[in-house]
Amino acid sequence: MNARIEDYALIGDEQTAALVGRDGSIDWLCLPRFDSGACFARLLGNEDNGHWRIAPKGADTCTRRAYRRDTLVLDTEWETAEGTVRVTDLMPQRDLAPDVVRIVEGVSGRVTVHSTLRLRFDYGSIVPWVRRADGHRVAVAGPDSTWLRSEPPVHTWGERMATHSEFTVAEGERVAFVLTWHPSHEPRPALIDPYEALSTSVRDWRRWTARCRYDGPHREAVVRSLITLKALTYAPTGGIVAAATTSLPEELGGVRNWDYRYCWLRDSTLTLGALLAAGYHKEAEAWRNWLLRAVAGDPADLQIMYGLAGERRLPEWEAPWLSGFAGSAPVRVGNGAVEQLQLDVYGEVMDSLSLARGAGLPTKPHMWSIQRALMTFLEASWRQPDEGLWEVRGGRRQFVHSKVMVWVAADRAVQALEQHQELKGDLERWRAMRDEVHREVCERGFDPRRNTFTQYYGSRELDAALLLIPRVGFLPPDDPRVIGTVDAIREDLGHGGFVRRYDTDAVGVDGMPGGEGAFLACSFWLADALHMTGRTDEARDLFERLAGLTNDVGLLAEEYDPELGCQVGNYPQAFSHIALVNTALTLFGGEGAG
């Protein structure tokens, strides 16, 4: 494969998602959930690992493609010597079964189109048994079954362990394909009308985007980011996955390949803030409710991430039959970082629930009880070293950002008691804890010679997460220590005009070989920090350059490699799109936020 990560567009039904390439091939799709085994895994291997390509016969990449305005419906067009053809891809909102709808339409002339469907269940490792039944091609292997049909029926045959179709469309003619998954032990689900599904999807998406309160500069990028965030939401629970993929590399050819199809607590406050500020209170409440269910239990067992429904066991394993994107192996499923201790997540949860309470989201009777339990744990445990926000695998340290977020937890607890007299807690003890944490961070986590906070106590390394210090209220933006930290991070962690998370070459900290690209969320945080410290023109310039990194359909991965000029990391990345929304609201909110 010579594809780049940004060559892909996203379609989805808020329970799973597919990636569609410029060549008209769906190269990644997990069914029935984001975290299920992939039935199309060409993205991480080759054609034999599963894909579904529809394109004019003999054509290579498309001429142009775009989402229909304010939707997740994708139109891809090819101009050929014989004429022009359009393929419209979508995954309609499901009742029970997930469907992939692909509508081929003649725009001009007469064009011969070829479809190749190569199903491989369990991450490209299992070839299903395919048969004909009731006008369908039915593929079955173990628990998985799919049904493929076309309207009208077209010539279809099996060859080289794949299902092929070939037909000709003239101007105004349409052929619709529908691929439906269901458990193999159950009867075939009800058929959908593909054309009705298209019109319904367009209408529903546009109704949803019309609720966006932002109408300032870069509205199209903000709306596309919000649509992407919605698409990465697991609708049955309200959980939001970090990305639709696993193992897209942070360094092409490297080993930093992780599974991001889960829900991270680190994203919680920023996600909630973006949804609330943009006017999506229903989605914010669903995320808050997912958060409360996920963290319920012993505070000592709080995890950094959970499954779509709050599952706790996410064991990490490798798929050796997949060569990896651009040869980046191993391909991993599950995420071993789930076992790490990260004290910052306690601050994220406390901050999120504080934000939800302040925004007027309906309270839950057990919400404050959970917060009190979290504080009880933190009071006894906050001095411990941890693995930190970035899930380093080089051992635990006294990470400064983790301690700042401990301060956030105590501060939000104090604020809750001061503002809500009906809540019960030990106000004086939590104030004392807050002051002690603040004093320790300023004494042990700050380098006075360089005028900057550091990655961990006593280190010389920096951490881009420290850009959040003024945002969370640990210090005011005009504090010289804040300004010094912003400048030091821009100088030491700058990478091609953007920002790396930390120095991956620092001895022993990272615990992994190789490097990574500029981290997009951190680069947006730099824009926020520049604005807060009075350098708004520089902040807006940085935002313009970051917004310019989106691909032709407005999507961002986790990172950007300035040297290769391409996106890297899992894709599309919720964290990057959340940061884009928040930074746009920060920089331009007064010009167009409702």
Side-chain angles (χ1 to χ4, degrees), residues 477-489:
D478 60 355
D479 189 294
R481 292 168 292 183
V482 170
I483 296 171
T485 300
V486 173
D487 290 341
I489 288 173

Side-chain angles (χ1 to χ4, degrees), residues 76 84 109 304 309 378 417 452 520:
T76 304
T84 301
I304 67 169
L378 269 188
L417 290 181
T452 181
L520 296 179

Side-chain angles (χ1 to χ4, degrees), residues 286-547:
W287 170 246
R288 191 280 312 268
N289 291 345
W290 174 89
L291 182 66
L292 284 172
R293 292 192 301 271
V295 305
D298 187 345
D301 296 330
L302 191 68
Q303 298 183 179
I304 67 169
M305 73 183 84
Y306 295 86
L308 307 178
E311 298 91 344
R312 291 172 176 258
R313 297 191 186 277
L314 310 173
E316 184 177 305
W317 54 277
E318 297 178 3
W321 60 88
L322 292 172
S323 58
F325 185 92
S328 308
V331 169
R332 296 182 174 94
V333 177
N335 199 311
V338 73
E339 303 292 337
Q340 291 187 352
L341 172 66
Q342 292 182 19
L343 292 174
D344 64 283
V345 299
Y346 292 85
E348 294 289 358
V349 173
M350 292 292 291
D351 199 18
S352 295
L353 298 181
S354 174
L355 180 60
R357 185 180 286 111
L361 294 183
T363 60
K364 295 288 185 178
H366 59 290
M367 191 166 82
W368 181 243
S369 297
I370 289 176
Q371 291 181 267
R372 288 180 61 184
L374 293 175
M375 285 303 301
T376 299
F377 172 80
L378 269 188
E379 285 182 272
S381 306
W382 72 266
R383 295 176 180 83
Q384 295 184 48
D386 70 343
E387 275 91 2
L389 173 71
W390 304 125
E391 299 157 23
V392 297
R393 300 199 176 193
R396 295 181 178 180
R397 298 175 188 267
Q398 298 285 4
F399 285 104
V400 173
H401 174 263
S402 295
K403 304 306 185 190
V404 168
M405 294 309 296
V406 169
W407 176 89
V408 168
D411 179 70
R412 302 317 187 251
V414 168
Q415 288 185 26
L417 290 181
E418 291 175 341
Q419 297 169 8
H420 302 277
Q421 301 301 316
E422 73 278 8
L423 300 179
K424 305 299 180 184
D426 196 324
L427 179 59
E428 293 308 315
R429 196 168 76 240
W430 290 346
R431 277 178 178 158
M433 173 187 167
R434 179 182 65 177
D435 293 344
E436 183 181 0
V437 175
H438 197 280
R439 183 168 52 252
E440 180 178 294
V441 169
C442 291
E443 290 176 356
R444 301 182 62 190
F446 183 76
D447 183 344
R449 287 181 296 178
R450 292 187 296 157
N451 190 33
T452 181
F453 287 95
T454 59
Q455 185 179 32
Y456 56 92
Y457 290 172
S459 73
R460 289 191 56 80
E461 289 78 30
L462 302 180
D463 186 337
L466 300 172
L467 293 167
L468 296 172
I469 283 176
R471 185 182 187 119
V472 300
F474 184 83
L475 287 173
D478 60 355
D479 189 294
R481 292 168 292 183
V482 170
I483 296 171
T485 300
V486 173
D487 290 341
I489 288 173
R490 183 157 56 161
E491 176 68 24
D492 288 10
L493 298 182
H495 187 29
F498 305 108
V499 179
R500 294 175 296 143
R501 293 187 292 181
Y502 54 90
D503 183 1
T504 55
D505 294 330
V507 177
V509 177
D510 186 83
M512 296 291 293
E516 62 179 26
F519 200 81
L520 296 179
C522 294
S523 300
F524 282 111
W525 295 350
L526 175 59
D528 296 336
L530 288 171
H531 170 67
M532 294 181 74
T533 54
R535 291 170 279 184
T536 299
D537 288 344
E538 294 178 59
R540 292 189 173 191
D541 176 68
L542 177 55
F543 180 87
E544 295 282 348
R545 288 186 285 116
L546 284 163

